[in-house]
Structure formats: C-alpha cells, structure tokens
Amino acid sequence: MVKVPPRDIARYVKEVPSNIRAVLIYGRDDGLVRERAEVIGKQIAPDLSDPFQVARPSTEDLKQTPSILLDEANAISMMGGRRLIRYDGAGQEAAAPFKLLLDAENVEGLVIVTAGDLKPSSALRKAAEGSKQSLAIACYEDSARDLMGLIQSILSGASLTASQDAVHYLADNLGGDRMVSRGELEKLVLYKGSSGGQVTLEDAKACVGDTAAIGLNQIAEAVTSGNMNALERLLERAWTAGENSIAILRTLQNRLMRFHLARGYMDQGMSAPDAIGKLRPPVFFGEKDRFQMEVTKWSAKKIEQALSILMEAELDCKTTGNPADVICARTLLRLAKAAK
C-alpha cells in the first residue's frame, strides 16, 4: 500500500487490515507516533508488556541478525494468536530487515516500526510505501483543527463540556506533541472528577499551563529514548524560547534518578511494573509503557555514568566560561547517542 492519506489514517489506526504484516509509523510528532503505535499494537497484544506475545528487538539485534524481524514475526506464540514485534527509533539499519520481512512468502505476526522524520528518499519509507502488505503512516504536529478535535474528543468522552475561554486557553497552551497534549487533557479530566460538568477557564489554568516544564520533560524523554531527531528539534525550540541550560540538565537528572531507583528495585528481583509502581510521585499512566521500556534498557551502571556526565556538564556550565547551551547540547546528544 502507498502512504496512507491523512483522511484515512484514523480508520487504519483503528483497525489494521488482516493482510497487513508491517506498519511503519514515522514523523516529527514523537508523541503521536507512540500513540498510534500503541493503538495498533493493542489490536494484537492487549498487554504490550507481555513478553510471550510481544518482542522488542534492539538495534544491535538487527545488525547481528538482519532476519530477526521476520524470525520473530513467525515465531509461535506460547499463548496462541499473532505475535507483535515492535522496533522503535528506526534508522537506515532497519531498511534491509524491513524489506526482508515484506518479501517473505509467509508472515504470521505484525511488525510495528517507529521512526522520526523520514525523507521520501529513505529506503525504509520506500519499502513501506511500495508494498501492498504494509502501511506507512506519517505523524506531524497537530494543527489547530487537530488540537480542537482532540480537546473535544477527550472532554466529551468524560461527559465534560468547556467554556469558550477554556477551549481557547487549552488550544493556545497545549503543545505540538500529541502524547503530551493527551496527558495534559487527561489530567484535566481527573481534576474535574467523574461527575461531568463544564470546564472553566480557571480549571484549564489549574491543570494546563506549565508549558516550560512540559517542554523540558520532552527533552529528557528524547535523550533517554535515544531519539536524536526529536532531541535536536526540541533543543532548537528550547533555545528559541530562552530556556535555561541548567534547568534542562536537571530535568534529565531527575528522570534518570527515577530510572535509577526503579532499576534498583528490579535488580533486587522485582518485576518492572512493580518497581515502577513504587515510584513517588507515581509515573503518569499514559507514560508507563514508555517508561518501563526505557528502564529495562538502562542498566544501573549506565545510569550512574550518565548522572556523573550530567553533574560534570552542570559544573562546566557554571565555571568554564564556555557557552552553556553548547555544553548542554553536546552532553544531551552524547547521552542520547549512547541510549540509542
């Protein structure tokens, strides 16, 4: 199938045709990429953390075994039914394994590959758009119309209405990342409770307004997931908005310290979901799958090394006289590269 037209994306995300063996989801909106990948993935595996039904090969796995996507897709599920294979943060290393999967005679499972912004000349994108057994779904920042639709959908689903002032405030203060916007709106729904009613401007301001913190958290998430494209875009946005380099470094330190605590529980024998469940404040439920996936990839030693690098970078920002934004950017890109 060719690239899915924007008008048809919602239909295909809601129900992937049975003949489709692979889905490529890519674009600048990392949150929307993750959201669509999860919606599609749950059609195959309701529990995305189930190791018997869901496989998550690493970049190193692909490099060592180019057939791993095909092999995992044809492996027999211990629980019956189709298997789900998820490969995130794809680059050109995934093009050959992806094409091998599409060219195979039989494929039982469903493979979902996510990536950042891919040019039309990308071999991975060409492979997805050139096969009748795959979907290529682009994800770009929400337009004003998309954002209004998201606000309406989430509020009406919770039996809530909103004043005109509240709607305009939400549209102005929610960002271009779908997952972040959804998370902020879900916090608003929780704030209003289950009794329904109208969201006022005061309600909206009480729950959605710290856009700086949202942006800094997005940067930290891009680093720990190894998403270089998203990181470069978010840093550029942060510098334009006049964000402080020390604040960016410390936001990432906080995320890694939470990783370190969860990793400590896991190294003592606790399961990843139970370890994450012990964190306070708790991990937001819309973030749990991503948080768990990343924690399992970061060893305690690797986290400690990253924290040491961040402390050194903060000291350099304060003492060397070199541009703090350059020190910060180099440090974050170094850590993101290591995470990838």
Side-chain angles (χ1 to χ4, degrees), residues 192-206:
K192 289 296 292 181
S194 58
S195 58
Q198 185 182 63
V199 174
T200 65
L201 176 60
E202 290 70 27
D203 294 329
K205 285 183 175 180

Side-chain angles (χ1 to χ4, degrees), residues 76-237:
I76 299 174
S77 172
M78 294 181 65
M79 308 304 292
R82 297 180 76 186
R83 276 168 56 82
L84 173 68
I85 294 81
R86 177 85 175 259
Y87 182 69
D88 296 312
Q92 290 306 105
E93 82 287 341
F98 194 82
K99 193 171 188 310
L100 187 65
L101 170 81
L102 296 176
D103 291 342
E105 185 173 346
N106 293 304
V107 176
E108 298 296 328
L110 177 67
V111 175
I112 298 177
V113 174
T114 67
D117 198 17
L118 298 176
K119 295 180 180 179
S121 59
S122 160
L124 179 58
R125 182 171 160 182
K126 282 184 175 180
E129 293 178 354
S131 171
K132 295 180 179 180
Q133 294 177 309
S134 67
L135 299 177
I137 299 175
C139 302
Y140 295 101
E141 291 87 346
D142 283 328
S143 65
R145 181 177 178 181
D146 294 331
L147 201 50
M148 286 293 191
L150 180 67
I151 293 168
Q152 176 64 28
S153 173
I154 292 180
L155 294 185
S156 62
S159 300
L160 290 169
T161 60
S163 68
Q164 188 173 12
D165 286 343
V167 171
H168 286 311
Y169 178 86
L170 291 171
D172 288 341
N173 285 275
L174 291 171
D177 187 293
R178 172 65 67 91
M179 191 71 81
V180 173
S181 297
R182 180 177 290 278
E184 291 299 292
L185 289 169
E186 287 173 347
K187 282 198 296 186
L188 177 58
V189 169
L190 289 173
Y191 175 82
K192 289 296 292 181
S194 58
S195 58
Q198 185 182 63
V199 174
T200 65
L201 176 60
E202 290 70 27
D203 294 329
K205 285 183 175 180
C207 295
V208 180
D210 193 0
T211 52
I214 294 171
L216 298 189
N217 284 328
Q218 285 182 277
I219 291 173
E221 290 169 5
V223 173
T224 56
S225 65
N227 191 332
M228 305 285 284
N229 292 333
L231 176 59
E232 290 176 358
R233 185 181 76 253
L234 290 167
L235 279 176
E236 183 177 351
R237 185 186 302 171

Side-chain angles (χ1 to χ4, degrees), residues 3-6 9 13 23-38 40 113-118 125 136-143 146 176-179 233:
K3 176 183 174 182
V4 179
I9 288 178
V13 169
V23 181
L24 171 65
I25 308 174
Y26 68 95
R28 292 189 298 268
D29 189 339
D30 188 51
L32 185 55
V33 168
R34 298 198 309 273
E35 179 178 296
R36 287 173 171 168
E38 289 181 6
I40 293 173
V113 174
T114 67
D117 198 17
L118 298 176
R125 182 171 160 182
I137 299 175
C139 302
Y140 295 101
E141 291 87 346
D142 283 328
S143 65
D146 294 331
D177 187 293
R178 172 65 67 91
M179 191 71 81
R233 185 181 76 253

Side-chain angles (χ1 to χ4, degrees), residues 254-262 279-283 291:
N254 290 336
R255 182 172 179 83
L256 285 171
M257 284 190 286
R258 282 165 68 78
F259 275 22
H260 194 261
L261 184 56
L279 296 179
R280 293 294 179 272
V283 177
F291 195 96

